[in-house]
Amino acid sequence: MTTLPIDNTFDDPAQRAPLVLNHHDFGTVTEKICSVNEARRAPRAWYVAFVISLGFLGIFGAMIMYLFATGVGVWGNQNPVMWGFPIINFVFWVGIGHAGTLISAILFLFRQRWRTGINRFAEAMTIFAVICAGTFPGIHIGRVWVFYWMFPIPNQMEMWPQFRSPLVWDVFAIGTYFTVSLLFWYTGMVPDLATFRDRARTKIQAIIYGILALGWRGSVRHWHRYERAYLLLAALATPLVLSVHSVVSFDFAVAQLPGWHTTIFPPYFVAGAIFSGFAMVMTLAIPARQLWGLKDFITLRHLENMTKIILVTGSMVGYAYSMEFFIAWYSGSMYESFAMLNRAFGQYAWAYWIMVTCNVLVPQVFWFRAARQSIPIMFTACLLVNLGMWFERFVIVVTSLAQDYLPSSWAYFTPTWVDLLTLAGSFGLFMTLFLLFCRYLPIIAIAEIKHTMPEALPHGHGAAHRQEPTA
Amino acid sequence: MTTTERCNENRQLGDLAARAVVFIALPGALLVALGILMTFKSDLTWERFLRGYVAAFCFVLTICLGGLFFTILQHLSRAGWSVAVRRVAEALAANLRWIWILFIPIAIGMYKTHLYEWTHVPPDDELLGNKEIFLNPTFWMIRAAFYFAVWGGLAHFFLRNSIAQDADGDPKTTLRMARVAAPAMIVYALTQSFAVIDWVMSLEPKWFSTMFGVYFFAASCFGFLATLILVCYLLQRSGRVTESITAEHYQDMGKFLFAFGVVFWAYIAYSQYMLIWYADIPEETTWFIVRQLGGWRGLSILLILGHFVGPFLLLLSRHPKRWTNVLPAICVWMLFIHFIDMYWLVLPEYPAELVASVSTYPQLIEAFENGIDPATGIPWLARYDMHPHLADACCLLGLAGIVLGLTGLSVRNASLIPIGDPRLPESLAFENF
């Protein structure tokens, strides 16, 4: 361990950039990452954020209570915009929930070793985002006391969900995705949980982490099984990354509504989901690395790589926008052309141009290295992308419904205060879970990040094989 | 560069390049000529001949475009594993510099025949009339020239720089190619999508699908990766690059083929079909209806089984991807089925009058199989069913021969692997684990 550079953003094709900076060895990596959880008190900012998040969570609960007590009339949903905020928020949160599994599964299969710095909390974020997403269809159904009708449970009334409806496919797609993401997250965490168990200072910690660690001893046999399970889960999760948002896009695309029915929707939704998911990962990663001093593990290079992925997926989204527009004209169908022109110049033009600005124009700054390496610029850009992707779903859901084939039923959708507070409250749920995770679980994959260090390589340099990876 | 020098393998094409021209490209050209001759001598119409020619052209074009995409992608992602096989991709892509010559018959066909319906729009056809700003011969030709110029320019840039790096090993060349790769990918995506709208989708000028460009892209990954594996295998069989390209590289190429060519293709194909089938809007279902009738139906089912199910099962496990005796055989099948895919895209013609004369789907099937066109007295089957012709095979084998035979020329004096690439040692030492 002699001359690791502090700056790893260099471009030298003959050499792969180091992913852990500042002369860390296996021991100090463990120390540093565990210190996030082992500190007796969390940083003050954590408490402030936690209190605010709890407040919003309370608002979320209150809004849901009010909804249950009163009915869906408290929302702005009405004819013809029957799908208002709940579906927009649902699609928004599912989209956020795509980055985690992309990072853990697809980047794993592509051997992108830098994923190890960010995969753990991206996966956690995925799970919390899916929980937020799942809430919305659940509370949208009106008669919440029969929510189980969404599932195909054998019953004496012989009543089944409509299997030809993509809304039922959603139940399966999201359910599968949540299950596999959770398994993936948990499997990857087992060696680190064992580390926590071994370092536990109280009896309760030792028992809880001990149970969660499943008797992990770090033997070669354990590692062998673990690596195999991880690879299999990655292979299984990869098609899920594509399938979930494809099925969500089917909710719209199987309809005959102009602006909803277009064949590019599945890959376009997937690209958009990854786009928004990465923006959210960065929105969380940037403060987290600052707060807990994790800049040696989530380096500037990691952030730069993520900005590049945002640029790539943003370009795919831009491609889809343009292709939709072009084909709407090329099709010669007046309804298609109207739907597109109406989006851009009609009553919701403001939403459309927020979407285009945030999703297509803003990511273009990442063509410049200076922007890819500037924390304030990338943080602002990511916030704007999050905003833009919410508005993308708003544009898709609302503009197409508000003005469809029948001008006599056209209307302008306006959200109510309950809509707005429920949306804000869902961030409370998300952030509360995320902050708890940061406090009680390993937020960086300790065992995995060691794989990327020179000591872990066969014929590695410096102090090779100094310690067991789980030490 | 110690790893690079350790091997004593043959890395030059040598006289194989010249031999390929004589024994592969020349017979290929003769086959195309034979196909043209056949059309003169038989009752085959020029439109029908050209449809087969367009399918064959798409077959070779997708392979070369796939090569360009693969090259750009490797630079963009700074990939290490693929360096040993990248020169083959660069050489295949370099065909894009002259492939416009093979496009000339299509251009002539567009002007002189009824190959593209939009070239002779009846005055009362408002729908096609409105598209004339985009679908008119002059603009169409300008666009085609633009696509070929862009592809040729990009392919030339990557090959030239890569060969220049062989001599000096300058890492700055790698950085320059990586910088160009990012905008190149965007240009590639747009030109490829619009080219396929122009040349394939506009064969049925009233039909439209936003997914079509992506479908063609997935198909080009399929065709190219199968070719890449096959060319690497043939080079090794001829005693070249025997040590640099290992089972590890075959496995990774196989993974790519599995992911992009097989699964991604199926995902796109399924999404496009399912959404159109489900919404069931008459102006969109046209394209698939004819592909569900008569012989086309069989071809559609063959595509599901032979383009997805079979390759999926064959390539799922790691072993076939590493058995260098089995993998090329799978790839030969894949190239065949890739041509079937192109044939399926290009050949079927929508029987508009027939569909207009019936009111239900069962009636349509019945009329298609047994009915007669009242206007001409010819059975519908004779005009709209699948009728493969020997000329189609001539076009396919001919164009494939010309392209494969001339591929070697662009690297005849260069090494078969990019020996100057700074990431070559990484690629040579690469292992899957």
Side-chain angles (χ1 to χ4, degrees), chain A residues 312-337:
Chain A
V312 168
T313 46
S315 304
M316 290 180 187
V317 171
Y319 171 92
Y321 291 164
S322 343
M323 194 49 87
E324 252 190 308
F325 236 100
F326 172 73
I327 295 289
W329 172 80
Y330 177 90
S331 71
S333 156
M334 58 188 268
Y335 303 105
E336 287 287 334
S337 321

PDB file of all heavy atoms in Angstrom, chain A residues 312-337:
ATOM      1  N   VAL A 312     -26.705   8.675 -20.305  1.00  0.00           N
ATOM      2  CA  VAL A 312     -27.089   7.627 -21.264  1.00  0.00           C
ATOM      3  C   VAL A 312     -28.588   7.379 -21.216  1.00  0.00           C
ATOM      4  O   VAL A 312     -29.276   7.414 -22.252  1.00  0.00           O
ATOM      5  CB  VAL A 312     -26.333   6.308 -20.955  1.00  0.00           C
ATOM      6  CG1 VAL A 312     -26.930   5.156 -21.749  1.00  0.00           C
ATOM      7  CG2 VAL A 312     -24.873   6.456 -21.277  1.00  0.00           C
ATOM      8  N   THR A 313     -29.116   7.159 -20.008  1.00  0.00           N
ATOM      9  CA  THR A 313     -30.540   6.833 -19.926  1.00  0.00           C
ATOM     10  C   THR A 313     -31.378   8.062 -20.271  1.00  0.00           C
ATOM     11  O   THR A 313     -32.451   7.932 -20.863  1.00  0.00           O
ATOM     12  CB  THR A 313     -30.902   6.296 -18.539  1.00  0.00           C
ATOM     13  OG1 THR A 313     -30.303   7.139 -17.557  1.00  0.00           O
ATOM     14  CG2 THR A 313     -30.404   4.884 -18.352  1.00  0.00           C
ATOM     15  N   GLY A 314     -30.876   9.250 -19.936  1.00  0.00           N
ATOM     16  CA  GLY A 314     -31.582  10.468 -20.330  1.00  0.00           C
ATOM     17  C   GLY A 314     -31.665  10.582 -21.848  1.00  0.00           C
ATOM     18  O   GLY A 314     -32.684  10.996 -22.398  1.00  0.00           O
ATOM     19  N   SER A 315     -30.588  10.167 -22.529  1.00  0.00           N
ATOM     20  CA  SER A 315     -30.616  10.206 -23.992  1.00  0.00           C
ATOM     21  C   SER A 315     -31.628   9.208 -24.526  1.00  0.00           C
ATOM     22  O   SER A 315     -32.309   9.473 -25.520  1.00  0.00           O
ATOM     23  CB  SER A 315     -29.240   9.873 -24.560  1.00  0.00           C
ATOM     24  OG  SER A 315     -28.279  10.740 -24.041  1.00  0.00           O
ATOM     25  N   MET A 316     -31.723   8.041 -23.877  1.00  0.00           N
ATOM     26  CA  MET A 316     -32.717   7.055 -24.332  1.00  0.00           C
ATOM     27  C   MET A 316     -34.124   7.625 -24.178  1.00  0.00           C
ATOM     28  O   MET A 316     -34.976   7.447 -25.053  1.00  0.00           O
ATOM     29  CB  MET A 316     -32.610   5.775 -23.512  1.00  0.00           C
ATOM     30  CG  MET A 316     -31.359   4.981 -23.774  1.00  0.00           C
ATOM     31  SD  MET A 316     -31.385   3.512 -22.747  1.00  0.00           S
ATOM     32  CE  MET A 316     -29.755   2.869 -23.050  1.00  0.00           C
ATOM     33  N   VAL A 317     -34.352   8.306 -23.056  1.00  0.00           N
ATOM     34  CA  VAL A 317     -35.658   8.914 -22.839  1.00  0.00           C
ATOM     35  C   VAL A 317     -35.907   9.979 -23.912  1.00  0.00           C
ATOM     36  O   VAL A 317     -36.993  10.057 -24.499  1.00  0.00           O
ATOM     37  CB  VAL A 317     -35.722   9.505 -21.415  1.00  0.00           C
ATOM     38  CG1 VAL A 317     -36.972  10.334 -21.238  1.00  0.00           C
ATOM     39  CG2 VAL A 317     -35.697   8.386 -20.389  1.00  0.00           C
ATOM     40  N   GLY A 318     -34.883  10.764 -24.204  1.00  0.00           N
ATOM     41  CA  GLY A 318     -35.009  11.778 -25.252  1.00  0.00           C
ATOM     42  C   GLY A 318     -35.312  11.156 -26.602  1.00  0.00           C
ATOM     43  O   GLY A 318     -36.142  11.658 -27.367  1.00  0.00           O
ATOM     44  N   TYR A 319     -34.660  10.018 -26.873  1.00  0.00           N
ATOM     45  CA  TYR A 319     -34.920   9.278 -28.119  1.00  0.00           C
ATOM     46  C   TYR A 319     -36.388   8.884 -28.184  1.00  0.00           C
ATOM     47  O   TYR A 319     -37.042   9.044 -29.217  1.00  0.00           O
ATOM     48  CB  TYR A 319     -34.016   8.039 -28.158  1.00  0.00           C
ATOM     49  CG  TYR A 319     -34.308   7.050 -29.269  1.00  0.00           C
ATOM     50  CD1 TYR A 319     -33.649   7.141 -30.489  1.00  0.00           C
ATOM     51  CD2 TYR A 319     -35.230   6.029 -29.100  1.00  0.00           C
ATOM     52  CE1 TYR A 319     -33.913   6.237 -31.507  1.00  0.00           C
ATOM     53  CE2 TYR A 319     -35.501   5.122 -30.107  1.00  0.00           C
ATOM     54  CZ  TYR A 319     -34.835   5.226 -31.310  1.00  0.00           C
ATOM     55  OH  TYR A 319     -35.106   4.329 -32.308  1.00  0.00           O
ATOM     56  N   ALA A 320     -36.911   8.371 -27.061  1.00  0.00           N
ATOM     57  CA  ALA A 320     -38.306   7.930 -27.047  1.00  0.00           C
ATOM     58  C   ALA A 320     -39.258   9.110 -27.251  1.00  0.00           C
ATOM     59  O   ALA A 320     -40.232   9.010 -28.004  1.00  0.00           O
ATOM     60  CB  ALA A 320     -38.621   7.204 -25.752  1.00  0.00           C
ATOM     61  N   TYR A 321     -38.977  10.247 -26.592  1.00  0.00           N
ATOM     62  CA  TYR A 321     -39.829  11.428 -26.781  1.00  0.00           C
ATOM     63  C   TYR A 321     -39.874  11.807 -28.253  1.00  0.00           C
ATOM     64  O   TYR A 321     -40.935  12.063 -28.825  1.00  0.00           O
ATOM     65  CB  TYR A 321     -39.284  12.647 -26.013  1.00  0.00           C
ATOM     66  CG  TYR A 321     -39.353  12.592 -24.508  1.00  0.00           C
ATOM     67  CD1 TYR A 321     -38.598  13.470 -23.732  1.00  0.00           C
ATOM     68  CD2 TYR A 321     -40.155  11.684 -23.853  1.00  0.00           C
ATOM     69  CE1 TYR A 321     -38.640  13.439 -22.350  1.00  0.00           C
ATOM     70  CE2 TYR A 321     -40.204  11.645 -22.476  1.00  0.00           C
ATOM     71  CZ  TYR A 321     -39.438  12.519 -21.725  1.00  0.00           C
ATOM     72  OH  TYR A 321     -39.471  12.472 -20.370  1.00  0.00           O
ATOM     73  N   SER A 322     -38.680  11.828 -28.888  1.00  0.00           N
ATOM     74  CA  SER A 322     -38.637  12.277 -30.280  1.00  0.00           C
ATOM     75  C   SER A 322     -39.323  11.267 -31.185  1.00  0.00           C
ATOM     76  O   SER A 322     -40.037  11.647 -32.109  1.00  0.00           O
ATOM     77  CB  SER A 322     -37.197  12.475 -30.768  1.00  0.00           C
ATOM     78  OG  SER A 322     -36.308  12.558 -29.724  1.00  0.00           O
ATOM     79  N   MET A 323     -39.075   9.973 -30.916  1.00  0.00           N
ATOM     80  CA  MET A 323     -39.674   8.957 -31.775  1.00  0.00           C
ATOM     81  C   MET A 323     -41.204   9.009 -31.668  1.00  0.00           C
ATOM     82  O   MET A 323     -41.908   8.901 -32.665  1.00  0.00           O
ATOM     83  CB  MET A 323     -39.135   7.587 -31.372  1.00  0.00           C
ATOM     84  CG  MET A 323     -39.396   6.489 -32.372  1.00  0.00           C
ATOM     85  SD  MET A 323     -38.966   6.904 -34.074  1.00  0.00           S
ATOM     86  CE  MET A 323     -37.262   6.458 -34.180  1.00  0.00           C
ATOM     87  N   GLU A 324     -41.701   9.203 -30.445  1.00  0.00           N
ATOM     88  CA  GLU A 324     -43.143   9.316 -30.252  1.00  0.00           C
ATOM     89  C   GLU A 324     -43.695  10.476 -31.068  1.00  0.00           C
ATOM     90  O   GLU A 324     -44.724  10.358 -31.728  1.00  0.00           O
ATOM     91  CB  GLU A 324     -43.411   9.616 -28.774  1.00  0.00           C
ATOM     92  CG  GLU A 324     -44.000   8.486 -27.989  1.00  0.00           C
ATOM     93  CD  GLU A 324     -44.447   8.978 -26.626  1.00  0.00           C
ATOM     94  OE1 GLU A 324     -43.621   9.603 -25.931  1.00  0.00           O
ATOM     95  OE2 GLU A 324     -45.603   8.735 -26.279  1.00  0.00           O
ATOM     96  N   PHE A 325     -43.006  11.599 -30.982  1.00  0.00           N
ATOM     97  CA  PHE A 325     -43.458  12.796 -31.690  1.00  0.00           C
ATOM     98  C   PHE A 325     -43.438  12.568 -33.189  1.00  0.00           C
ATOM     99  O   PHE A 325     -44.388  12.868 -33.906  1.00  0.00           O
ATOM    100  CB  PHE A 325     -42.558  13.984 -31.334  1.00  0.00           C
ATOM    101  CG  PHE A 325     -43.332  15.146 -30.797  1.00  0.00           C
ATOM    102  CD1 PHE A 325     -43.397  15.376 -29.440  1.00  0.00           C
ATOM    103  CD2 PHE A 325     -44.013  15.990 -31.656  1.00  0.00           C
ATOM    104  CE1 PHE A 325     -44.125  16.434 -28.940  1.00  0.00           C
ATOM    105  CE2 PHE A 325     -44.743  17.052 -31.170  1.00  0.00           C
ATOM    106  CZ  PHE A 325     -44.803  17.274 -29.800  1.00  0.00           C
ATOM    107  N   PHE A 326     -42.311  11.994 -33.663  1.00  0.00           N
ATOM    108  CA  PHE A 326     -42.184  11.792 -35.103  1.00  0.00           C
ATOM    109  C   PHE A 326     -43.262  10.840 -35.604  1.00  0.00           C
ATOM    110  O   PHE A 326     -43.945  11.111 -36.600  1.00  0.00           O
ATOM    111  CB  PHE A 326     -40.797  11.254 -35.454  1.00  0.00           C
ATOM    112  CG  PHE A 326     -40.684  10.841 -36.891  1.00  0.00           C
ATOM    113  CD1 PHE A 326     -40.629  11.799 -37.892  1.00  0.00           C
ATOM    114  CD2 PHE A 326     -40.684   9.506 -37.255  1.00  0.00           C
ATOM    115  CE1 PHE A 326     -40.566  11.432 -39.224  1.00  0.00           C
ATOM    116  CE2 PHE A 326     -40.618   9.124 -38.578  1.00  0.00           C
ATOM    117  CZ  PHE A 326     -40.556  10.092 -39.571  1.00  0.00           C
ATOM    118  N   ILE A 327     -43.440   9.711 -34.903  1.00  0.00           N
ATOM    119  CA  ILE A 327     -44.400   8.714 -35.388  1.00  0.00           C
ATOM    120  C   ILE A 327     -45.826   9.251 -35.262  1.00  0.00           C
ATOM    121  O   ILE A 327     -46.687   8.915 -36.079  1.00  0.00           O
ATOM    122  CB  ILE A 327     -44.211   7.374 -34.649  1.00  0.00           C
ATOM    123  CG1 ILE A 327     -42.840   6.770 -34.982  1.00  0.00           C
ATOM    124  CG2 ILE A 327     -45.328   6.394 -34.993  1.00  0.00           C
ATOM    125  CD1 ILE A 327     -42.667   6.219 -36.376  1.00  0.00           C
ATOM    126  N   ALA A 328     -46.076  10.092 -34.261  1.00  0.00           N
ATOM    127  CA  ALA A 328     -47.416  10.678 -34.154  1.00  0.00           C
ATOM    128  C   ALA A 328     -47.741  11.450 -35.435  1.00  0.00           C
ATOM    129  O   ALA A 328     -48.852  11.379 -35.957  1.00  0.00           O
ATOM    130  CB  ALA A 328     -47.501  11.600 -32.950  1.00  0.00           C
ATOM    131  N   TRP A 329     -46.755  12.154 -35.974  1.00  0.00           N
ATOM    132  CA  TRP A 329     -46.972  12.847 -37.236  1.00  0.00           C
ATOM    133  C   TRP A 329     -47.011  11.851 -38.391  1.00  0.00           C
ATOM    134  O   TRP A 329     -47.917  11.879 -39.217  1.00  0.00           O
ATOM    135  CB  TRP A 329     -45.858  13.879 -37.494  1.00  0.00           C
ATOM    136  CG  TRP A 329     -45.983  14.429 -38.875  1.00  0.00           C
ATOM    137  CD1 TRP A 329     -46.845  15.408 -39.285  1.00  0.00           C
ATOM    138  CD2 TRP A 329     -45.299  13.973 -40.049  1.00  0.00           C
ATOM    139  NE1 TRP A 329     -46.731  15.597 -40.640  1.00  0.00           N
ATOM    140  CE2 TRP A 329     -45.788  14.738 -41.132  1.00  0.00           C
ATOM    141  CE3 TRP A 329     -44.330  13.010 -40.282  1.00  0.00           C
ATOM    142  CZ2 TRP A 329     -45.321  14.562 -42.439  1.00  0.00           C
ATOM    143  CZ3 TRP A 329     -43.869  12.823 -41.574  1.00  0.00           C
ATOM    144  CH2 TRP A 329     -44.366  13.595 -42.643  1.00  0.00           C
ATOM    145  N   TYR A 330     -46.025  10.936 -38.405  1.00  0.00           N
ATOM    146  CA  TYR A 330     -45.868  10.000 -39.524  1.00  0.00           C
ATOM    147  C   TYR A 330     -47.096   9.116 -39.669  1.00  0.00           C
ATOM    148  O   TYR A 330     -47.484   8.756 -40.769  1.00  0.00           O
ATOM    149  CB  TYR A 330     -44.614   9.157 -39.274  1.00  0.00           C
ATOM    150  CG  TYR A 330     -44.328   8.094 -40.301  1.00  0.00           C
ATOM    151  CD1 TYR A 330     -43.547   8.367 -41.412  1.00  0.00           C
ATOM    152  CD2 TYR A 330     -44.830   6.800 -40.156  1.00  0.00           C
ATOM    153  CE1 TYR A 330     -43.278   7.390 -42.353  1.00  0.00           C
ATOM    154  CE2 TYR A 330     -44.564   5.823 -41.092  1.00  0.00           C
ATOM    155  CZ  TYR A 330     -43.785   6.112 -42.188  1.00  0.00           C
ATOM    156  OH  TYR A 330     -43.526   5.142 -43.125  1.00  0.00           O
ATOM    157  N   SER A 331     -47.710   8.748 -38.527  1.00  0.00           N
ATOM    158  CA  SER A 331     -48.866   7.847 -38.580  1.00  0.00           C
ATOM    159  C   SER A 331     -50.008   8.456 -39.390  1.00  0.00           C
ATOM    160  O   SER A 331     -50.828   7.733 -39.937  1.00  0.00           O
ATOM    161  CB  SER A 331     -49.357   7.544 -37.171  1.00  0.00           C
ATOM    162  OG  SER A 331     -49.976   8.697 -36.631  1.00  0.00           O
ATOM    163  N   GLY A 332     -50.071   9.776 -39.462  1.00  0.00           N
ATOM    164  CA  GLY A 332     -51.163  10.411 -40.165  1.00  0.00           C
ATOM    165  C   GLY A 332     -52.465  10.384 -39.380  1.00  0.00           C
ATOM    166  O   GLY A 332     -53.498  10.825 -39.876  1.00  0.00           O
ATOM    167  N   SER A 333     -52.401   9.857 -38.139  1.00  0.00           N
ATOM    168  CA  SER A 333     -53.619   9.802 -37.333  1.00  0.00           C
ATOM    169  C   SER A 333     -53.811  11.145 -36.632  1.00  0.00           C
ATOM    170  O   SER A 333     -52.943  11.611 -35.910  1.00  0.00           O
ATOM    171  CB  SER A 333     -53.498   8.677 -36.298  1.00  0.00           C
ATOM    172  OG  SER A 333     -54.346   8.935 -35.208  1.00  0.00           O
ATOM    173  N   MET A 334     -54.973  11.758 -36.840  1.00  0.00           N
ATOM    174  CA  MET A 334     -55.178  13.091 -36.266  1.00  0.00           C
ATOM    175  C   MET A 334     -55.229  13.044 -34.746  1.00  0.00           C
ATOM    176  O   MET A 334     -54.847  13.999 -34.075  1.00  0.00           O
ATOM    177  CB  MET A 334     -56.464  13.710 -36.818  1.00  0.00           C
ATOM    178  CG  MET A 334     -57.698  12.886 -36.554  1.00  0.00           C
ATOM    179  SD  MET A 334     -59.139  13.528 -37.418  1.00  0.00           S
ATOM    180  CE  MET A 334     -59.820  14.611 -36.209  1.00  0.00           C
ATOM    181  N   TYR A 335     -55.680  11.914 -34.199  1.00  0.00           N
ATOM    182  CA  TYR A 335     -55.765  11.824 -32.734  1.00  0.00           C
ATOM    183  C   TYR A 335     -54.371  11.768 -32.106  1.00  0.00           C
ATOM    184  O   TYR A 335     -54.098  12.382 -31.094  1.00  0.00           O
ATOM    185  CB  TYR A 335     -56.585  10.593 -32.338  1.00  0.00           C
ATOM    186  CG  TYR A 335     -57.970  10.625 -32.946  1.00  0.00           C
ATOM    187  CD1 TYR A 335     -58.282   9.817 -34.023  1.00  0.00           C
ATOM    188  CD2 TYR A 335     -58.921  11.518 -32.470  1.00  0.00           C
ATOM    189  CE1 TYR A 335     -59.537   9.869 -34.606  1.00  0.00           C
ATOM    190  CE2 TYR A 335     -60.175  11.582 -33.053  1.00  0.00           C
ATOM    191  CZ  TYR A 335     -60.487  10.756 -34.119  1.00  0.00           C
ATOM    192  OH  TYR A 335     -61.716  10.821 -34.699  1.00  0.00           O
ATOM    193  N   GLU A 336     -53.497  10.970 -32.784  1.00  0.00           N
ATOM    194  CA  GLU A 336     -52.123  10.880 -32.294  1.00  0.00           C
ATOM    195  C   GLU A 336     -51.441  12.248 -32.354  1.00  0.00           C
ATOM    196  O   GLU A 336     -50.809  12.684 -31.394  1.00  0.00           O
ATOM    197  CB  GLU A 336     -51.325   9.891 -33.154  1.00  0.00           C
ATOM    198  CG  GLU A 336     -51.681   8.437 -32.936  1.00  0.00           C
ATOM    199  CD  GLU A 336     -51.173   7.908 -31.608  1.00  0.00           C
ATOM    200  OE1 GLU A 336     -50.186   8.452 -31.094  1.00  0.00           O
ATOM    201  OE2 GLU A 336     -51.789   6.963 -31.083  1.00  0.00           O
ATOM    202  N   SER A 337     -51.574  12.908 -33.505  1.00  0.00           N
ATOM    203  CA  SER A 337     -50.916  14.210 -33.659  1.00  0.00           C
ATOM    204  C   SER A 337     -51.470  15.192 -32.646  1.00  0.00           C
ATOM    205  O   SER A 337     -50.728  15.950 -32.025  1.00  0.00           O
ATOM    206  CB  SER A 337     -51.127  14.784 -35.056  1.00  0.00           C
ATOM    207  OG  SER A 337     -51.057  13.780 -36.005  1.00  0.00           O
TER     208      SER A 337
END
